Amino acid sequence: GYTVGVPADGADADVIAVGTVCNGDRQLLDEGRQYGTTLQAPLLEGQLAIQVADEYLTNGSIENFLNFTPNPKVRYNEWQDFTLEGFDGNNYTMDSLCTWGSSGQGEVVEEAAEEEAAAVEPGSKGTIIAFTPARSERYVNGLIQGLATEAENAGYDITILENEFNQAQQDEQVQQQLAIGAEPDIWIWWPAEGAAGLGSLRDLHSTGIPVLQINQLPTEDAEPFVVGYAGPDDALRARNAGEMMVEARDAWVEAGKELSSEGGNAIGVTYPVAYGGYPLSINAYMEGIEGSGVDFIGESNEGFGSQNGYNGAAALIAQVQDQGIDLIYGMDDAILQGAIQALEEAGYTVGV
């Protein structure tokens, strides 16, 4: 068996791994093969989106244009006891909020105090049409559950149109809705590809129906076409990852670990460059390690999921291994999961 924080064979670790989003393999944290992550809960993202939509439809405006879900740092020796309050007032376990093999449907550990309230008839407050990626991806599944449950509780009928992270497919869905004259009270918009989806966003805005963007922060070009944003703070979570990496590196140095360079060499496995969350994340990660002496020597932008993480990392390792690798950043844990496998198959011991 494993001892938390000690690699499988008991040897000193070669590489420290830090990720975000907690959508990979929980066992990596359990075994100390991943130092830390951030708790990003799609269930809460769905809850927040409906609450912000309801705020706009009720008041005709939104108090805050940007509405973020929390993204706290969580280390390998903390996650089992970590809980987070949802936007419904309930406390949830980290194990149930994360999408590392669960549905993202949170297990309530402490229910909010019940208040007397009249029952809301489903659909009595209006209709919502949401454009999202497909629920076959675990994170998206959790978000869709949050949207559906919170919409029902708030009295809205919701229709969710899914795409395979494919902007052309999403564009076609938008045109179909316009052609049939769909008239929801609000559109909810998760662009498949930030910049490439701008045309469809403009078309939705031209209907005169408000658009709420979720998950990907609106670009400057997109801001005039949306009433607000609800979702994760990509910059916060990436900055948190960078800070945890420096923290783990410092502990290594204090324990006498020799690094490949003065501050250690880091590599990254990331989202595609065209994806809206990429520039925010990579820039914030760099801010997190700024001034630490960590040298970021290369990255792979292969794409989403553990298989792309594996393929990209395998190619990157071959390119930079002569320089030495001490640290790896995963833009999310699913990508990092595959990269850790590639590192271990290349002979590295990943741990803390």
Side-chain angles (χ1 to χ4, degrees):
Y2 289 88
T3 301
V4 172
V6 179
D9 59 4
D12 289 339
D14 302 313
V15 179
I16 290 173
V18 177
T20 71
V21 185
C22 65
N23 64 338
D25 184 355
R26 180 183 65 187
Q27 191 173 355
L28 294 173
L29 287 168
D30 247 352
E31 296 170 353
R33 290 157 65 205
Q34 179 176 336
Y35 178 79
T37 187
T38 64
L39 200 176
Q40 181 169 315
L43 179 74
L44 304 193
E45 189 176 334
Q47 291 176 352
L48 177 63
I50 297 300
Q51 290 188 12
V52 174
D54 183 57
E55 179 186 352
Y56 183 86
L57 294 174
T58 301
N59 302 325
S61 63
I62 297 172
E63 183 177 357
N64 299 309
F65 182 79
L66 299 178
N67 302 271
F68 292 124
T69 54
N71 264 282
K73 301 174 184 176
V74 187
R75 296 154 190 85
Y76 71 96
N77 54 359
E78 299 172 327
W79 76 264
Q80 291 181 330
D81 299 319
F82 206 95
T83 61
L84 190 64
E85 184 178 354
F87 291 97
D88 58 1
N90 294 321
N91 284 327
Y92 293 88
T93 65
M94 180 168 176
D95 197 25
S96 63
L97 286 177
C98 293
T99 48
W100 44 37
S102 70
S103 67
Q105 179 62 58
E107 174 191 351
V108 176
V109 292
E110 183 181 335
E111 294 190 4
E114 291 188 10
E115 297 180 3
E116 290 291 331
V120 181
E121 195 69 30
S124 62
K125 294 189 70 175
T127 60
I128 298 170
I129 294 178
F131 297 88
T132 76
R135 71 186 73 209
S136 55
E137 202 279 332
R138 290 198 304 262
Y139 186 93
V140 181
N141 185 51
L143 183 142
I144 288 174
Q145 289 188 38
L147 287 173
T149 301
E150 193 70 17
E152 181 180 0
N153 291 342
Y156 293 96
D157 281 333
I158 186 166
T159 299
I160 298 172
L161 303 173
E162 305 172 33
N163 70 86
E164 300 292 337
F165 281 102
N166 184 306
Q167 192 58 58
Q169 183 185 8
Q170 190 176 53
D171 292 342
E172 184 177 345
Q173 291 170 338
V174 169
Q175 294 309 311
Q176 288 171 347
Q177 293 303 303
L178 299 182
I180 65 174
E183 293 185 342
D185 291 280
I186 194 166
W187 308 103
I188 289 181
W189 176 246
W190 177 346
E193 297 176 22
L198 188 59
S200 285
L201 175 58
R202 282 199 192 99
D203 290 343
L204 292 175
H205 176 264
S206 71
T207 64
I209 297 168
V211 184
L212 174 67
Q213 184 153 324
I214 65 171
N215 193 265
Q216 286 191 64
L217 199 68
T219 63
E220 186 176 343
D221 290 339
E223 283 188 9
F225 306 114
V226 300
V227 296
Y229 169 77
D233 185 341
D234 289 345
L236 173 62
R237 77 184 191 210
R239 191 177 302 110
N240 281 344
E243 290 172 357
M244 282 190 289
M245 177 174 285
V246 174
E247 171 188 296
R249 188 280 316 268
D250 288 347
W252 255 16
V253 171
E254 188 176 344
K257 175 74 174 179
E258 291 187 12
L259 303 174
S260 301
S261 63
E262 185 176 355
N265 290 341
I267 60 173
V269 283
T270 76
Y271 298 145
V273 173
Y275 187 69
Y278 169 82
L280 286 170
S281 297
I282 197 65
N283 291 337
Y285 163 75
M286 291 299 189
E287 290 174 6
I289 64 172
E290 188 175 3
S292 68
V294 171
D295 188 6
F296 192 68
I297 62 173
E299 63 181 290
S300 162
N301 318 114
E302 195 80 14
F304 301 98
S306 59
Q307 187 60 54
N308 281 324
Y310 175 85
N311 293 341
L316 182 58
I317 291 164
Q319 294 171 19
V320 303
Q321 60 185 351
D322 288 347
Q323 299 177 57
I325 301 170
D326 305 296
L327 309 154
I328 183 168
Y329 160 60
M331 203 160 274
D332 71 31
D333 287 353
I335 306 173
L336 182 63
Q337 177 183 343
I340 288 174
Q341 180 184 347
L343 282 164
E344 291 177 341
E345 288 183 5
Y348 293 91
T349 303
V350 183
V352 297

